[in-house]
Amino acid sequence: MTTTRIGVIAAIVLGLAQLVVAQSQCQCGYRDPTTGALWTDAIITYFNETDAASQVISSPASSPDVQGAGAPGNTGAATDSAPWSVYDHLNAYNEGYGIDWRTGFRSNNSYTTVDGNFSSQVMQLAVLPADLRHRITWGAGLVSRRRDILFGSFRTSVLPSPSSNEGTFLRMGVRYDDYDYVETSLAASYNATLTWEWAAKGQDQIQGSSQAVQQILWQGIGWNAQHNFTEHRMEWQNPQVGWFTNNGDWTNNGTSGATIAAGASNVTSPLPSYGGPFAYRHYSEGFKGIGQAPPEGFQLNAELLYARLFFNSSLPSRSAEFDSGCAAGPTPECNTDDLTLRGSTAFSAAALQSPERPTSSYSTPSWAVALAVASAAVFAALVIHGLVNWAVHSASSRGKYESAGTGAGVPLSPRPGQGPMTSGNTTMEEEGGAGAHWNYPAALLAAQNREEGADESGDEYEEHDDPLRPWPLPEKGPGSSSADEYAKTATGGGATAKEAEGNVAPASGEATLSPTEDSQRQGSVASMDSQAFKEWRRDSSKAHLLSPSSPSSSSNKLPWSNSRNAYGASPLANVARLNADEENDDDSGFVRWEQAPGRRRGLARPVAGKAALRPAKGPKKPRLGPIAWVKENLFIGEGGGGKTASGAARVEYLDGLRGFACFLVSFHHFMLIFYFGQTTPTAFMHYVGFETWFRYILGPILTNGGLNVGIFFCLAARVIANRYLVRGKLQDLAEAIFRRVPRLMVPITAALILNYFLIEVGAFHWVTRLQSVTWSPWSYYTNYTNLGVFIDDWMGLWFTEPPNTPPQISLYATGILWTVPLIVQYSWTVFLCALVAREIVNPIKRYTFYALCWLCSWYAGRFEYFFIAGLIIADLDNRLKYREKAAKGIPLFGGVRMPGQFIAWAIFLVGAIFTWLNFIGGPAADVFLQEYGIHPSWDSAEPNSKNTDFESTGIPYTSPELFAFFFVIGFFLLCDLCTSFRTFFQLRFWSVFGRNAFSLYLLHGVIFWSWGAWLVIELVHKGVEYWAAVLVVFFTSYIMLGILCEAFTRTFDSWGIGLSKSLWRECSNGLGRRA
């Protein structure tokens, strides 16, 4: 024991003596004879010598960070001569795609030991068997206590871990942060690789750059370097960096080394220029490229023989000290190639602290400031204009018309050529001055013009016509004007235009007729008026238009009878009601006309403004019970959707079904990001029980890609050709075709631009770190090369024909756009099928035609057959009225009828059962694969089953599945035929999603990959359980999505609809529907 103590003391004394001698001999630095560089400081440690253990702080009070920007920890005082320290650390994440393990470092994994193969003591850095439950690999590291190393010549002799199917990385170098470093990396796996890496933000060379640029030089390690100690050398100078093995020549750019310089042709990034500690890290991260999987069941060791570091300090005080020490006179310089040098340069306490990154000055170009100010001014002007316009119209509609009982006059038109009309002794102008505004739309139609044109998400094309929109006159009869003919029709045949136009009030003392008497006297005026108007509206060949407000002859005026009808309204209001009845628009608000209170003589007055929207006062509604309240407030009732303008049945559940499908898409992607094992059973799972049972029970619906996109595709085709199927006008079909792409273009372009800028500012940089926490490889994005590439890719999005896909699908955080080319291409199939089918009157022939189209599309393996099925359902509903027929039942025998929904349930259950069996991994999986094998390959036109990798590659997500089709069609049929089934989709909750469906479809990735990625990493790093962190991410992300989508829908989505309408009206010479 005494001998051992004496030996240790002697070694320490010898080391201190060597240190003193080295410091005195090398007071003026270390000169590199090869490069001529002069370095002020040094750390020289030989781990094969007896004093190696004393060169390392084995139990620091707090572990230092290996990055200069990190915490310095507490490794002791500056007077402690040990230059190295071990550390404990667990990464909050690992950076890079394909890295689904987190890396940790334990201080007791770094130790000195004897390598029997070389009979030498070494510093061993061990990587332990992987923690499979938490997917963490524990490695080892060694970091210099000095954190002021800036530029230098670094030489170290290492032996990487043996190559196998499991792999590790041994990295060594100086790292300020993840964006500024210079390192050598040895990847030990079955394909052992040596890489030389550096990265820098470039605030010296490229001012204002916010993105780090990484560049890697790849080399093979070679057999000798894998099995023997090899010296690896880095020369980090300003402005060049070089790497060498086994004393490779600085000027030699061959296999033994490489030199790069800022501005050289082979250098695409700036060079690092910020200091930090020098560190060794031996770890595994599961990178599938060169690192391979971490070791399981055994450990892998890397070994260090020596470290000889020569460098400069980033501290100004150290530079001043060095200059003053050599100013007195010439002092011998040490040679960096002198292998007898030992020890380390003394350092101050400041060298133990983390350096600060120097701030860079950057002045914004004046043109950028001017452009930003101009853009802000235009934006502010547009917002102010919109608000003022809205306020003016709102005030106008409220101010021009007054509530009943206020004494307001009647807004009626005077006879041409006459002064103001009178009512008793008072002129119309005196009564309110509204005579010139009798046709103000807000007085007759309070409902807004809803234009639902989001075809891709299933909105119907609808119009809500202005009730006072001019109509064509009927053809003139013999000896009468067109106005006379119409007036006679409108008044039961008794009045001409001149007679009807006067709107003369009852004489003084006359009794006002009751609604019943009035109705009998008119002789079913409402019915005749409706018929006349329908005939006129359908006669589009009449170009002579009525213009009630234009100052022309009475024949060009709409003649009104002075009588009041059974509705208690003036004929003017009756016109509005008849027009609205024709359109079957239950949402329109009509003006109620009331006799002025306290008057026997006088004209009816309108109840305008907000009162126009309120029903007449009646008995007080009874208080609803809990069940009735829930039903009325949480559900959209049967028929709540009314009718479309074309006469097609308004299906009230479509908004809910569209919202449900949109939620399925976003939720499926949420699970792909945060619970990838649930969607892919061969992947690692955070919670095996939960994810397995979730997949078995809810997966076929909630995370079934074939179901959610199938609903979208069928829903789009269900409505885009409705108007043409019902009305048969080519104008409707032409409008649907023309508006398709412009309507999609505006919101999609806005989403792409939003992603473009978010990528530029680094909002998605957490995506590259996400996989190591979520264990999901699904998330991926990359930046656009430049604006020109962005525009080129955008143009290709609309014209790329399947099976080719535009770049936006696999890049740029917009993977959901793979459906856009399909929607554009297959919409043409719907339009062409509708054009042909509309001319086939015989239902049997028509549906035979549909069946042939569907069969060809199915065999081709295209999602096209989902679109054709949606068109068939629309035809069944609008032309055959199959919902009514199915409700009556299908006759079987003996008067027995089978409810039509039984067929729907059969189709639904076939799809649901096979999908469920496929999700649990049963024999149905082979059925799906065999069905896919029938379809021809896009490349060879041969059946997919003949491809050699048919079974191993599986079914691509861009290929349709027949049983998913049955599942989707079952959804639609049951919603149409089964009241209890569609009740779920009549929840107002789903209608909210449906209103914002396209926005949610485009933007959910923006939230998940920015806010969601950052939040889950932060919460897990803070110690929150993974399930709780994901739950918080789920609720907060959807709240943020709701706010963002409302704003996006009211702007870009609405602008897309408006632009498509305006373009159509312009190009069709006014055939478009009212804005």
Side-chain angles (χ1 to χ4, degrees), residues 211-231:
Q211 291 288 329
V213 183
Q214 183 185 44
Q215 189 157 332
I216 301 176
L217 303 177
W218 301 86
Q219 303 288 333
I221 291 181
W223 187 93
N224 185 64
Q226 294 180 56
H227 298 85
N228 293 290
F229 281 97
T230 303
E231 181 182 273

Side-chain angles (χ1 to χ4, degrees), residues 415-455:
R415 290 190 180 99
Q418 295 184 0
M421 295 181 62
T422 60
S423 175
N425 298 322
T426 307
T427 66
M428 287 300 301
E429 292 181 341
E430 294 172 346
E431 288 273 346
H437 303 284
W438 67 276
N439 62 339
Y440 189 76
L444 297 174
L445 183 61
Q448 295 181 352
N449 172 37
R450 298 192 314 266
E451 177 60 53
E452 300 174 340
D455 310 329

Side-chain angles (χ1 to χ4, degrees), residues 590-930:
F590 308 115
V591 173
R592 293 182 295 103
W593 293 71
E594 298 180 358
Q595 180 69 25
R599 290 192 183 187
R600 293 175 54 89
R601 298 174 58 106
L603 299 176
R605 64 179 70 254
V607 182
K610 294 183 179 179
L613 299 178
R614 294 196 298 267
K617 292 184 178 179
K620 188 176 181 179
K621 293 179 64 176
R623 174 176 256 177
L624 298 176
I627 298 178
W629 185 92
V630 169
K631 185 175 181 180
E632 180 170 321
N633 290 277
L634 298 186
F635 293 88
I636 298 175
E638 294 290 335
K643 297 280 186 175
T644 66
S646 64
R650 170 69 173 175
V651 186
E652 60 275 347
Y653 70 81
L654 283 185
D655 277 345
L657 185 58
R658 181 173 63 253
F660 177 70
C662 179
F663 171 76
L664 289 185
V665 171
S666 63
F667 183 77
H668 186 196
H669 292 167
F670 183 88
M671 297 298 284
L672 283 168
I673 296 173
F674 298 104
Y675 282 114
F676 188 71
Q678 185 276 319
T679 62
T680 309
T682 57
F684 283 94
M685 299 182 181
H686 291 271
Y687 307 100
V688 176
F690 162 73
E691 294 180 56
T692 300
W693 286 108
F694 189 97
R695 175 179 175 81
Y696 290 168
I697 298 174
L698 299 176
I701 293 179
L702 296 184
T703 58
N704 184 352
L707 174 65
N708 52 50
V709 299
I711 291 177
F712 268 117
F713 292 158
C714 281
L715 201 55
R718 172 79 168 79
V719 296
I720 58 176
N722 258 4
R723 292 174 61 84
Y724 176 72
L725 288 177
V726 173
R727 295 162 35 133
K729 293 185 177 181
L730 290 177
Q731 168 189 330
D732 296 331
L733 188 62
E735 181 176 358
I737 294 172
F738 183 91
R739 292 180 55 188
R740 192 66 167 156
V741 171
R743 187 265 173 275
L744 297 173
M745 186 177 293
V746 173
I748 289 177
T749 302
L752 286 173
I753 293 175
L754 177 62
N755 278 269
Y756 180 90
F757 283 108
L758 288 175
I759 292 173
E760 283 294 314
V761 300
F764 292 158
H765 73 275
W766 291 94
V767 172
T768 60
R769 306 164 179 177
L770 192 60
Q771 185 172 346
S772 60
V773 176
T774 63
W775 311 346
S776 167
W778 187 77
S779 300
Y780 177 79
Y781 84 97
T782 187
N783 201 354
Y784 294 90
T785 305
N786 53 54
L787 181 60
V789 173
F790 171 81
I791 296 174
D792 182 71
D793 292 344
W794 174 84
M795 294 176 62
L797 180 64
W798 313 102
F799 305 103
T800 301
E801 184 176 354
N804 298 320
T805 57
Q808 287 92 343
I809 290 176
S810 57
L811 310 175
Y812 318 139
T814 51
I816 45 89
L817 293 184
W818 70 271
T819 59
V820 172
L822 301 185
I823 291 172
V824 174
Q825 297 290 332
Y826 299 153
S827 293
W828 282 101
T829 302
V830 174
F831 295 139
L832 291 174
C833 285
L835 183 64
V836 174
R838 186 64 175 73
E839 303 303 317
I840 303 177
V841 179
N842 187 300
I844 296 177
K845 294 181 180 179
R846 185 164 70 251
Y847 289 100
T848 300
F849 166 74
Y850 282 138
L852 290 174
C853 294
W854 183 93
L855 187 62
C856 292
S857 297
W858 167 80
Y859 177 72
R862 297 155 59 99
F863 272 106
E864 192 174 41
Y865 67 83
F866 282 76
F867 284 79
I868 295 175
L871 178 63
I872 294 173
I873 294 176
D875 193 302
L876 286 170
D877 192 23
N878 291 309
R879 302 189 67 182
L880 289 188
K881 310 298 180 186
Y882 90 112
R883 283 192 278 180
E884 291 82 352
K885 295 179 180 179
K888 295 178 181 179
I890 301 172
L892 296 179
F893 52 85
V896 177
R897 287 179 173 269
M898 179 184 70
Q901 65 176 277
F902 280 16
I903 297 177
W905 277 109
I907 295 174
F908 176 83
L909 290 175
V910 167
I913 291 173
F914 274 89
T915 300
W916 178 70
L917 292 175
N918 183 40
F919 264 69
I920 67 173
D926 293 333
V927 177
F928 277 73
L929 195 62
Q930 294 306 317

Side-chain angles (χ1 to χ4, degrees), residues 84 319 467 502 528 534 692 704 738 750 781 832 873 943 952 959 1044 1070:
W84 302 98
S319 299
M528 299 180 68
K534 287 181 179 180
T692 300
N704 184 352
F738 183 91
Y781 84 97
L832 291 174
I873 294 176
S952 60
S959 295
L1044 179 60

Side-chain angles (χ1 to χ4, degrees), residues 970-998:
F971 261 89
F972 277 87
L973 295 180
L974 286 176
C975 285
D976 275 347
L977 305 180
C978 181
T979 303
S980 58
F981 188 89
R982 71 170 166 265
T983 298
F984 175 74
F985 301 103
Q986 290 174 317
L987 280 167
R988 296 186 187 274
F989 171 81
W990 294 123
S991 294
V992 174
F993 274 88
R995 184 177 68 249
N996 298 294
F998 199 28

